Amino acid sequence: MPYRQTERVKLRLAATRVQLLKTARQIVMESGFAGLTIARLATRAGVATGTVYRYFPSKDDLCLEVFRRACDREAELAWQEARGSGPADQRLAAAIRVVATRAMEGATAAYPIVAEPAGDSLERERRVYRENWSNAFAHAIRAGITDGVFPKQDADISAACITGAILEALIAPLSQVDTARHTPRTVDGIVRFAMAGVRYPSDSEAAA
Amino acid sequence: MPYRQTERVKLRLAATRVQLLKTARQIVMESGFAGLTIARLATRAGVATGTVYRYFPSKDDLCLEVFRRACDREAELAWQEARGSGPADQRLAAAIRVVATRAMEGATAAYPIVAEPAGDSLERERRVYRENWSNAFAHAIRAGITDGVFPKQDADISAACITGAILEALIAPLSQVDTARHTPRTVDGIVRFAMAGVRYPSDSEAAA
DNA sequence: CAAAGAAATGAACATAAGTTCATTCTTTTT
DNA sequence: AAAAAGAATGAACTTATGTTCATTTCTTTG
């Protein structure tokens, strides 16, 4: 029994794996998923191209994991706010704000994550991610309807609208170059718009 | 002087060009820009691959033209409504509705056009397209502010929010498979949300 | 009909990126 | 230290597409 993987090696392997994921994330933040090639990743991480395949079965899998890691934390934050204990409308506003603010601050990272062209599997995953956001919003909206602070409405549609509003107003412009365009006022504008959208009834119902 | 391009030939060439564009559009509607390859296009249009390059200098140029043709009509329709003559709020609602409805009906192969992963040049062009929509909305919003039917607000942000809301609520799900998910009620939901967003002031201003 | 110039052709080429695998280097155990 | 097993390597392979160009076919004119 001349060789068995020892603890030390196990740790080193895990460290390399994490290193690869971190490097991949850096590259994606700089150049998007389009700029993430195995060769580039390997060089930057200081390993050979073949080595990458000892840690990830395919590029797709690698991308997925990079993506998930980036997303999980974001979605969790939104849910924390949405689930919170205060009045439903304040919770919704807080959830919107946290998503919008973080997206704005992490400007470069945000675009590839939520919008950049990428492969099929990523596209599917991205939907999951957005839906996670939307679901957090919908959760708060439903609570608000129950509590009577929001009028009756299709919470899923409103939530999707909010997600879309954030992405478009905040992130889509980043595909261009003017990163400096956004200010905290932009987030305020989005929150205001979204909250009004949820809070006020339609013309017909308002008239009724 | 043994050969000069005659009128008949000129027409035939023009016809082939249009045929290529139409076929390309079909392919994009079916399989997205990712599915648009020169080989496939040539085969479907009944010409050789080399022939395509007698009509378009590169695939990028071809894609751009396909894209522009699809977009121009849509943007024009939105502007028609936004520029109309009625009250500003009704114009805005009409513009939103026309964009949302047409997208829903798939009139434009909405998903590939507004959201599908594609090359760099297309991405830039897509921004232009979305901004065109947003600008139409912003136009009506500004008019509404002037007329006093909308409270003071950043028209550009609100307009971007509207565009995003439409895309997310309506089109993004199309990247999945459940096309039949949407009903006219979905459009109503979007319009309601968007109109409330523009129409009602922020909490602080409402309280003031 | 013959000649000359366009137009069409499609096989061949170029490129780029993901993936493989025979080989080499490391680590562990006796 | 030697042997065995694992890990790393990176050049070569594969595949997929965009693009070219020598050749063929068509169209016009004298």
Side-chain angles (χ1 to χ4, degrees), chain B residues 115-152:
Chain B
E116 191 222 350
D120 247 20
S121 49
L122 260 196
E123 201 59 33
R124 251 172 288 133
E125 199 65 16
R126 188 174 324 211
R127 276 274 94 221
V128 172
Y129 177 40
R130 289 194 187 187
E131 262 165 32
N132 214 338
W133 272 353
S134 287
N135 288 341
F137 296 145
H139 178 84
I141 294 173
R142 287 207 185 82
I145 296 173
T146 304
D147 298 354
V149 295
F150 295 149
K152 254 182 80 174

Side-chain angles (χ1 to χ4, degrees), chain A residues 12-205:
Chain A
R12 197 195 65 205
L13 293 191
T16 302
R17 194 167 196 285
V18 170
Q19 183 54 40
L20 283 172
L21 285 168
K22 277 189 182 166
T23 306
R25 182 167 170 276
Q26 276 184 358
I27 293 174
V28 168
M29 280 173 41
E30 289 169 19
S31 339
F33 283 101
L36 179 61
T37 66
I38 302 293
R40 199 171 162 196
L41 168 61
T43 303
R44 275 256 295 256
V47 300
T49 58
T51 305
V52 175
Y53 284 85
R54 298 189 55 76
Y55 292 89
F56 304 93
S58 75
K59 191 197 175 183
D60 251 37
D61 291 82
L62 168 67
C63 285
L64 263 183
E65 199 157 338
V66 170
F67 183 81
R68 288 212 175 106
R69 284 177 143 241
C71 292
D72 282 352
R73 180 173 169 67
E74 300 302 314
E76 184 44 42
L77 287 172
W79 271 104
Q80 266 174 31
E81 299 292 349
R83 270 204 227 90
S85 54
D89 54 347
Q90 282 175 30
R91 278 189 272 152
L92 177 60
I96 294 171
R97 188 170 292 277
V98 77
V99 168
T101 304
R102 287 188 60 86
M104 193 178 81
E105 284 171 352
T108 0
Y111 175 65
I113 294 297
V114 303
E116 191 221 351
D120 247 19
S121 48
L122 259 197
E123 201 61 32
R124 250 171 288 133
E125 200 64 17
R126 188 171 317 196
R127 275 275 93 221
V128 173
Y129 177 40
R130 290 195 189 188
E131 261 164 34
N132 214 338
W133 272 353
S134 287
N135 288 340
F137 297 147
H139 178 82
I141 294 173
R142 288 205 184 84
I145 296 173
T146 305
D147 297 354
V149 296
F150 295 149
K152 255 181 80 173
Q153 63 194 281
D154 186 321
D156 291 317
I157 293 179
S158 294
C161 286
I162 292 172
T163 299
I166 295 173
L167 297 186
E168 179 70 16
L170 206 50
I171 293 158
L174 296 180
S175 63
Q176 309 283 75
V177 204
D178 52 354
T179 308
R181 171 175 155 184
H182 293 309
T183 66
R185 283 189 48 81
T186 310
V187 174
D188 290 338
I190 294 169
V191 174
R192 182 206 64 74
F193 181 93
M195 291 308 293
V198 191
R199 188 167 285 148
Y200 297 101
S202 66
D203 292 354
S204 49
E205 287 168 36

Side-chain angles (χ1 to χ4, degrees), chain B:
Chain B
M1 207 193 274
Y3 180 91
R4 300 268 302 198
Q5 189 180 63
T6 192
E7 200 60 27
R8 189 168 66 87
V9 172
K10 224 175 244 170
L11 286 177
R12 198 196 64 204
L13 293 189
T16 302
R17 194 167 196 286
V18 170
Q19 183 54 40
L20 282 172
L21 285 168
K22 277 189 182 167
T23 307
R25 182 167 170 278
Q26 275 183 357
I27 293 174
V28 169
M29 281 174 39
E30 290 168 18
S31 340
F33 283 101
L36 179 61
T37 65
I38 302 293
R40 198 172 163 195
L41 168 62
T43 303
R44 275 254 298 255
V47 301
T49 60
T51 306
V52 175
Y53 284 86
R54 297 190 56 76
Y55 291 90
F56 305 93
S58 75
K59 190 195 176 185
D60 250 36
D61 290 82
L62 168 68
C63 284
L64 261 183
E65 198 157 340
V66 169
F67 183 81
R68 289 214 176 104
R69 284 178 144 239
C71 292
D72 283 353
R73 180 171 168 70
E74 299 304 314
E76 183 43 42
L77 287 172
W79 271 105
Q80 265 175 30
E81 299 292 349
R83 270 204 226 89
S85 53
D89 54 348
Q90 281 176 31
R91 279 188 273 152
L92 178 60
I96 294 171
R97 189 171 291 279
V98 77
V99 169
T101 304
R102 287 186 61 86
M104 192 179 82
E105 284 168 354
T108 40
Y111 176 64
I113 294 297
V114 303
E116 191 222 350
D120 247 20
S121 49
L122 260 196
E123 201 59 33
R124 251 172 288 133
E125 199 65 16
R126 188 174 324 211
R127 276 274 94 221
V128 172
Y129 177 40
R130 289 194 187 187
E131 262 165 32
N132 214 338
W133 272 353
S134 287
N135 288 341
F137 296 145
H139 178 84
I141 294 173
R142 287 207 185 82
I145 296 173
T146 304
D147 298 354
V149 295
F150 295 149
K152 254 182 80 174
Q153 63 194 280
D154 186 321
D156 291 317
I157 293 179
S158 295
C161 285
I162 292 173
T163 300
I166 296 173
L167 297 186
E168 178 70 17
L170 207 51
I171 293 159
L174 296 180
S175 64
Q176 308 284 73
V177 203
D178 53 354
T179 309
R181 170 174 156 183
H182 293 310
T183 65
R185 282 189 48 82
T186 310
V187 174
D188 291 337
I190 294 169
V191 173
R192 183 206 63 74
F193 181 92
M195 291 308 292
V198 233
R199 187 168 285 143
Y200 297 100
S202 66
D203 292 352
S204 49
E205 286 169 37

